[in-house]
Amino acid sequence: MAILKILEFPDPRLRTIAKPVTQFDAALLKLVDDMIETMYEADGVGLAATQVDVHKRLVVIDVSEERNAPMVFVNPEITVLDQCTREVKEGCLSVPGFYEPVTRPEHVLVRAQDQHGKTFELQPDGLLAVCVQHEMDHLNGKLFVDYVSALKRQRIRSKLEKQQRQPA
Ligand code: QAP
Ligand code: CO
């Protein structure tokens, strides 16, 4: 297994639209393992392939307290089930140190494949519902900072650019 490098906002590669996964092979299984290890090492609850500069429709999530229940979503699709929304403070491994409230649909249906190509459906609630939508956005080149005001986004951008010029 390997720890992968996570791209940080405003890296333009985070704006890439990911392509569907078509090959369920050993390379995909290795990528899944590496993404799970990278997510745990970074203390994240979710990681999209886009964030590690792999532009395939693949997401890993673990919302468990014990950090021992990784979920894999390949080619995920989301259907919004009703008009209920909820505001939750979000963060992102690609926007380290910043947290802002984002309003999203509360009730969604997720259809995806697992790492072996088997299709499954899930009606997530709570943190998982937020996380699936946040990670799905990454696959479409979208970040949670796109939902905040332009002023806040610019401030976050400036601070991160400064940090990136003076690495730890
Ligand atoms: C997406 O986010 C998410 O700034 C996953 O310094 C966010 O794993 C889903 C993290 C909110 C649901 C609700 C962020 C770790 C992790 C940071 C993450 C940081 C260290 C973010
Ligand atoms: Co994120």
Side-chain angles (χ1 to χ4, degrees), residues 45-88:
V45 297
L47 184 70
T50 307
Q51 294 175 273
V52 294
D53 204 20
V54 175
H55 302 286
K56 294 182 182 163
R57 304 192 77 81
L58 166 64
V59 162
V60 297
I61 292 176
D62 189 343
V63 293
S64 74
E65 202 82 31
E66 303 78 17
R67 323 282 301 142
N68 61 0
M71 304 174 75
V72 177
F73 298 83
V74 178
N75 301 325
E77 290 167 34
I78 292 177
T79 309
V80 176
L81 295 177
D82 59 40
Q83 289 198 50
C84 299
T85 60
R86 196 161 77 108
E87 187 185 73
V88 172

Side-chain angles (χ1 to χ4, degrees), residues 86-91 99-103 144 147-148 152:
R86 196 161 77 108
E87 187 185 73
V88 172
K89 215 172 203 186
E90 296 191 17
Y99 304 86
E100 294 293 340
V102 176
T103 300
F144 85 90
Y147 297 97
V148 311
K152 271 189 187 163

Side-chain angles (χ1 to χ4, degrees), residues 42-46 90-93 95-99 127 130-131 134-135:
D43 271 325
V45 297
E90 296 191 17
C92 179
L93 292 171
V95 191
F98 295 89
Y99 304 86
L127 181 62
V130 177
C131 195
H134 174 114
E135 301 309 331

Side-chain angles (χ1 to χ4, degrees), residues 28-167:
L28 181 71
L29 297 180
K30 168 155 172 51
L31 176 60
V32 167
D33 278 355
D34 289 348
M35 283 176 57
I36 291 170
E37 193 183 11
T38 301
M39 171 177 70
Y40 287 148
E41 203 261 345
D43 271 325
V45 297
L47 184 70
T50 307
Q51 294 175 273
V52 294
D53 204 20
V54 175
H55 302 286
K56 294 182 182 163
R57 304 192 77 81
L58 166 64
V59 162
V60 297
I61 292 176
D62 189 343
V63 293
S64 74
E65 202 82 31
E66 303 78 17
R67 323 282 301 142
N68 61 0
M71 304 174 75
V72 177
F73 298 83
V74 178
N75 301 325
E77 290 167 34
I78 292 177
T79 309
V80 176
L81 295 177
D82 59 40
Q83 289 198 50
C84 299
T85 60
R86 196 161 77 108
E87 187 185 73
V88 172
K89 215 172 203 186
E90 296 191 17
C92 179
L93 292 171
S94 293
V95 191
F98 295 89
Y99 304 86
E100 294 293 340
V102 176
T103 300
R104 297 189 188 269
E106 185 170 1
H107 302 119
V108 296
L109 178 70
V110 183
R111 191 184 164 88
Q113 287 164 280
D114 67 15
Q115 61 269 50
H116 308 291
K118 188 178 163 52
T119 298
F120 64 95
E121 272 189 359
L122 186 79
Q123 210 178 300
D125 24 64
L127 181 62
L128 182 57
V130 177
C131 195
V132 171
Q133 294 178 73
H134 174 114
E135 301 309 331
M136 180 77 168
D137 272 353
H138 279 298
L139 303 182
N140 294 326
K142 199 165 168 79
L143 297 168
F144 85 90
V145 295
D146 299 343
Y147 297 97
V148 311
S149 72
L151 179 64
K152 271 189 187 163
R153 185 167 50 255
Q154 185 53 47
R155 284 192 182 135
I156 293 170
R157 185 192 176 107
S158 302
K159 287 179 187 164
L160 282 174
E161 278 175 340
K162 191 172 168 192
Q163 279 178 31
Q164 290 158 17
R165 272 183 262 125
Q166 310 166 320

Side-chain angles (χ1 to χ4, degrees), residues 11-27:
D11 193 309
R13 291 172 288 182
L14 288 168
R15 299 308 186 176
T16 312
I17 300 194
K19 298 221 166 71
V21 170
T22 54
Q23 302 225 82
F24 292 85
D25 55 11

